[in-house]
């Protein structure tokens, strides 16, 4: 059901890997990273004026652009960034919010970080309501994709990208440059943090994350495990308007 940490040469290989998990039968979980830097943006960006030129310019800067079939915004990928992808059939009564709670429980258990805030991080790349942050700085971004199936239970792909280590500023700057060429807002490097800089970790605890994910997926068949309440030490973050 699970795979070890996968290292791909390119981000496109990682995206293909995730697509395979989504298309497979039964619960699937994968953890991957890519050796080469790249940007990943929603497929909808392809319809924006100047997309081809913006993507070409980004590639010349060392950040080729790939598209994904989900919404959100542009994110950098490459060394120092890891992706957790879970795919499963949603049981009856399971909601999008349950999917995000599932991801937060996995990261709380897998990273063993005492306090993770949940909420928007203004100025971050691909900002969302279910970011996981430490001291107001984004550590993990989350997303989901749902699709109907012939047997009635929707298929879910729940995804999270965690900033593990390395030069966050370069990734943020690459997003800002790409956004500038598309007429979109820039992002701020200093509203992000990495696992290694914000905690005692020296690397991603891959086995812990995979074990936490396996445990969550094993319980999905029991509706009593769907918690609509946030657990202790995972605090909802409501940023003040700037």
């Amino acid at each position: 059901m699970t795979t070890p940490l996968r290292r791909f040469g390119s981000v496109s290989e990682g995206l293909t890997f995730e697509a395979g998990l989504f298309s497979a039968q039964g619960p699937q979980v994968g953890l991957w990273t890519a050796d080469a830097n790249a940007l990943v943006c929603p497929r909808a960006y392809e319809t924006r004026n100047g997309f081809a030129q913006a993507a070409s310019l980004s590639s010349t800067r060392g950040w080729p652009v790939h598209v994904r079939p989900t919404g959100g915004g542009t994110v950098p990928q490459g060394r120092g960034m890891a992706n957790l992808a879970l795919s499963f059939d949603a049981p009856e009564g399971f909601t999008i919010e349950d999917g995000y709670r599932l991801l937060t429980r996995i990261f709380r258990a897998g990273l063993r970080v005492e306090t993770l805030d949940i909420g928007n991080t203004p100025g971050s790349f691909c900002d969302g309501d279910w970011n996981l942050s430490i001291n107001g700085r984004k550590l993990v971004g989350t997303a989901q994709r749902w699709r109907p199936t012939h047997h009635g239970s929707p298929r879910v792909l729940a995804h999270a990208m965690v900033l593990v280590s390395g030069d966050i500023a370069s990734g943020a700057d690459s997003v800002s440059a790409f956004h500038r060429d598309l007429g979109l807002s820039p992002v701020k490097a200093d509203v992000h943090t990495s696992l290694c800089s914000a905690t005692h970790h020296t690397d991603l605890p891959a086995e812990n994350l995979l074990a936490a994910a396996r445990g969550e997926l094993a319980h999905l068949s029991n509706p009593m495990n769907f918690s609509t309440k946030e657990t202790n030490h995972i605090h909802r973050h409501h940023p003040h308007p700037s």
Side-chain angles (χ1 to χ4, degrees):
M1 184 177 75
T2 63
T3 61
L5 175 66
R6 302 287 299 269
R7 294 187 179 276
F8 295 109
S10 69
V11 170
S12 62
E13 293 176 89
L15 295 175
T16 299
F17 173 58
E18 287 191 359
L21 297 179
F22 198 26
S23 299
Q25 300 294 314
Q28 305 287 332
V29 58
L31 188 63
W32 66 273
T33 187
D35 290 331
N37 291 333
L39 299 182
V40 181
C41 70
R43 182 164 291 147
Y45 280 19
E46 289 182 313
T47 64
R48 296 186 66 89
N49 291 334
F51 175 83
Q53 182 179 8
S56 177
L57 289 171
S58 184
S59 184
T60 63
R61 293 188 291 265
W63 293 84
V65 177
H66 302 272
V67 298
R68 63 176 186 271
T70 55
T74 309
V75 297
Q77 290 279 3
R79 289 183 178 273
M81 304 168 197
N83 300 272
L84 178 68
L86 296 86
S87 187
F88 53 91
D89 295 333
E92 184 178 358
F94 194 87
T95 67
I96 291 176
E97 287 74 20
D98 288 320
Y100 285 119
R101 292 186 186 102
L102 179 148
L103 288 171
T104 60
R105 290 196 299 271
I106 289 172
F107 275 90
R108 180 195 175 195
L111 298 183
R112 297 175 182 174
V113 175
E114 290 185 1
T115 302
L116 291 175
D117 292 329
I118 305 171
N120 295 96
T121 314
S124 65
F125 44 72
C126 198
D127 192 19
D129 291 341
W130 290 85
N131 294 338
L132 303 183
S133 303
I134 296 178
N135 296 325
R137 293 187 174 186
K138 181 175 178 176
L139 176 68
V140 180
T142 60
Q144 292 183 68
R145 183 185 177 194
W146 288 52
R147 71 180 180 200
T149 63
H150 67 276
H151 54 75
S153 297
R155 186 72 176 170
V156 179
L157 179 67
H159 174 271
M161 185 190 80
V162 55
L163 301 170
V164 181
S165 62
D167 183 8
I168 296 173
S170 292
D173 289 346
S174 72
V175 172
S176 289
F178 177 60
H179 279 193
R180 178 195 64 218
D181 294 334
L182 279 179
L184 299 172
S185 299
V187 300
K188 301 176 181 178
D190 61 1
V191 300
H192 306 83
T193 191
S194 70
L195 182 67
C196 293
S197 64
T199 71
H200 64 278
H201 291 292
T202 58
D203 201 354
L204 181 74
E207 293 301 328
N208 289 351
L209 276 177
L210 290 173
R214 285 195 297 267
E216 289 291 338
L217 291 178
H219 287 82
L220 279 181
S221 60
N222 183 355
M224 294 301 293
N225 287 287
F226 303 160
S227 174
T228 59
K229 297 180 179 179
E230 291 160 3
T231 54
N232 292 335
H233 305 298
I234 299 184
H235 305 292
R236 189 74 189 200
H237 175 56
H238 299 283
H240 297 291
S242 55

